């Protein structure tokens, strides 16, 4: 019988730990951590995600600021706001919610963020430090995935891990984290140009699905006893919900789950861990633990 990897439960436990740290700061008369978020446009998924981040901040005792821009905001105006946040001593960490409108360069925006305030862990400086094992701000989703694996005591050393997807946000960084000393997995990254992709996935002890394609991973791809981490969150129309849509993952959960030892659900798996990783990065920034 498979076990559910409950990201919501683990995230709640970590939030309690973070809230305790915030209480210590308050008792010592020190500054309360402050996380800011920039939201451009009114993408439904982004709206929900940012609203949850604001809620998370309230739960752990952080200050939070949400800065909204219409989707016709110019790149120059957005970069000016980022510079302002970089120089605001009261803001410990901030994020710019992705995706951005096509006329704005995501790479320019990410590179404009001060690496020491990079709560998402996307800046090239933080990614570079992660690559060579130096302290920095880890990318939120990969960090959350690794934390789930650790807290469920899932063995990774010497295990064959297949990461599906090669994005700079999830696929590439999580492959690096899993192969580093301490995790010691043997990692293969597959993508849209990979030949015999089904055969490769079928050999995996651990599957990280981060391709953004609903139900891409089917039961014939998964060997008995595999651990499956589903990062996908795609909105699809649904008559079963009040909102008229539901979130589905990259894994055909109902058919794949019976073959697994452990599996994450969507929602309630990786998503809450991504958000709590942002809180942790912001706390680290507020405590001035990372000095570049």
């Amino acid at each position: 019988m498979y076990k559910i990897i409950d990201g919501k439960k683990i995230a709640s436990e970590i939030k309690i730990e973070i809230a305790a740290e915030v209480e210590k700061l308050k008792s010592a008369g020190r500054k309360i951590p402050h996380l800011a978020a920039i939201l451009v446009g009114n993408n439904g998924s982004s709206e929900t995600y940012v609203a949850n981040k604001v809620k998370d901040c309230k739960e752990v005792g952080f200050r939070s600021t949400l800065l909204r821009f219409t989707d016709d905001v110019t790149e120059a105006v957005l970069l000016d706001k980022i510079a302002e946040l970089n120089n605001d001593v009261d803001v410990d960490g901030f994020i710019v919610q992705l995706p951005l409108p096509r006329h704005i360069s995501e790479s320019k925006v990410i590179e404009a963020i001060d690496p020491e305030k990079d709560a998402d862990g996307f800046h090239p400086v933080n990614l570079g430090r992660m690559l060579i094992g130096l302290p920095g701000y880890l990318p939120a989703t990969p960090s959350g995935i690794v934390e789930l694996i650790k807290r469920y005591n899932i063995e990774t050393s010497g295990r064959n891990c297949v990461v599906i997807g090669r994005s700079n946000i999830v696929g590439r960084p999580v492959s690096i984290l899993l192969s580093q000393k301490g995790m010691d997995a043997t990692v293969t990254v597959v993508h849209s140009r990979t030949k015999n992709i089904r055969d490769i996935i079928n050999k995996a002890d651990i599957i990280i699905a981060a391709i953004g394609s609903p139900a891409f991973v089917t039961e014939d791809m998964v060997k008995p006893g595999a651990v499956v981490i589903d990062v996908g969150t795609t909105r699809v129309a649904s008559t079963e919900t009040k909102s008229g849509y539901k979130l589905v993952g990259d894994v055909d959960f109902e058919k794949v789950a019976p073959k697994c030892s452990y599996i994450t659900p969507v929602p309630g798996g990786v998503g809450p861990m991504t958000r709590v990783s942002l809180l942790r990065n912001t706390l680290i920034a507020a405590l001035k633990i990372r000095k570049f």
Side-chain angles (χ1 to χ4, degrees):
M1 180 63 182
Y2 65 88
K3 294 181 181 178
I4 292 291
I5 298 175
D6 191 342
K8 192 173 180 181
K9 174 178 175 289
I10 299 299
S12 294
E13 292 173 2
I14 294 172
K15 280 194 275 190
I16 291 169
E17 294 166 11
I18 292 172
E21 291 297 321
V22 174
E23 280 302 315
K24 288 180 186 177
L25 291 174
K26 284 182 181 177
S27 298
R30 294 180 61 184
K31 181 183 174 302
I32 301 304
H34 184 179
L35 174 64
I38 293 176
L39 179 61
V40 179
N42 55 3
N43 176 283
S45 296
S46 294
E47 287 275 2
T48 301
Y49 200 56
V50 170
N52 282 329
K53 288 171 184 172
V54 172
K55 181 183 173 185
D56 291 338
C57 285
K58 187 174 181 180
E59 284 183 29
V60 300
F62 282 12
R63 289 186 57 205
S64 67
T65 300
L66 174 56
L67 303 164
R68 291 178 172 272
F69 292 90
T70 57
D71 56 14
D72 60 352
V73 65
T74 66
E75 185 176 271
V77 167
L78 193 58
L79 291 173
D80 283 346
K81 178 52 70 174
I82 290 170
E84 185 181 315
L85 291 173
N86 285 339
N87 293 314
D88 186 341
V89 294
D90 191 58
V91 174
D92 298 295
F94 68 95
I95 65 161
V96 179
Q97 184 64 35
L98 304 178
L100 293 168
R102 288 186 178 183
H103 67 281
I104 296 175
S105 166
E106 287 190 0
S107 60
K108 272 189 186 178
V109 165
I110 290 169
E111 289 178 42
I113 297 169
D114 181 346
E116 293 191 32
K117 292 192 175 188
D118 176 28
D120 258 330
F122 291 163
H123 194 282
V125 167
N126 282 311
L127 290 175
R129 292 177 73 87
M130 177 195 71
L131 180 65
I132 58 176
L134 289 176
Y137 300 103
L138 296 176
T141 299
S143 175
I145 292 168
V146 169
E147 192 66 24
L148 276 180
I149 290 171
K150 287 179 177 178
R151 295 212 179 205
Y152 272 84
N153 297 311
I154 294 168
E155 183 61 64
T156 55
S157 180
R159 294 292 179 89
N160 182 18
C161 177
V162 173
V163 177
I164 309 171
R166 53 181 169 178
S167 75
N168 293 331
I169 293 173
V170 181
R172 291 183 189 278
V174 79
S175 72
I176 293 165
L177 290 175
L178 288 169
S179 64
Q180 285 179 333
K181 288 184 178 179
M183 299 302 287
D184 301 308
T186 300
V187 184
T188 303
V189 179
V190 298
H191 46 77
S192 60
R193 296 292 183 268
T194 301
K195 294 179 180 179
N196 303 318
I197 190 168
R198 287 174 177 268
D199 293 338
I200 296 169
I201 296 170
N202 192 248
K203 293 180 174 66
D205 300 309
I206 301 169
I207 298 168
I208 313 288
I211 201 169
S213 179
F216 177 84
V217 178
T218 52
E219 59 183 318
D220 60 305
M221 294 182 183
V222 181
K223 76 175 186 180
V227 175
V228 176
I229 309 289
D230 190 350
V231 187
T233 51
T234 303
R235 282 187 172 205
V236 298
S238 174
T239 56
E240 302 168 9
T241 60
K242 290 181 181 180
S243 62
Y245 71 87
K246 65 178 180 179
L247 286 179
V248 297
D250 290 348
V251 177
D252 185 349
F253 184 90
E254 296 301 324
K255 292 181 179 178
V256 169
K259 295 188 74 175
C260 299
S261 55
Y262 291 89
I263 188 169
T264 58
V266 175
V270 173
M273 295 300 295
T274 299
R275 286 163 28 210
V276 85
S277 295
L278 290 173
L279 297 179
R280 191 151 53 181
N281 278 344
T282 304
L283 178 63
I284 290 168
L287 293 173
K288 305 294 189 238
I289 292 173
R290 302 283 185 261
K291 297 301 289 182
F292 300 175

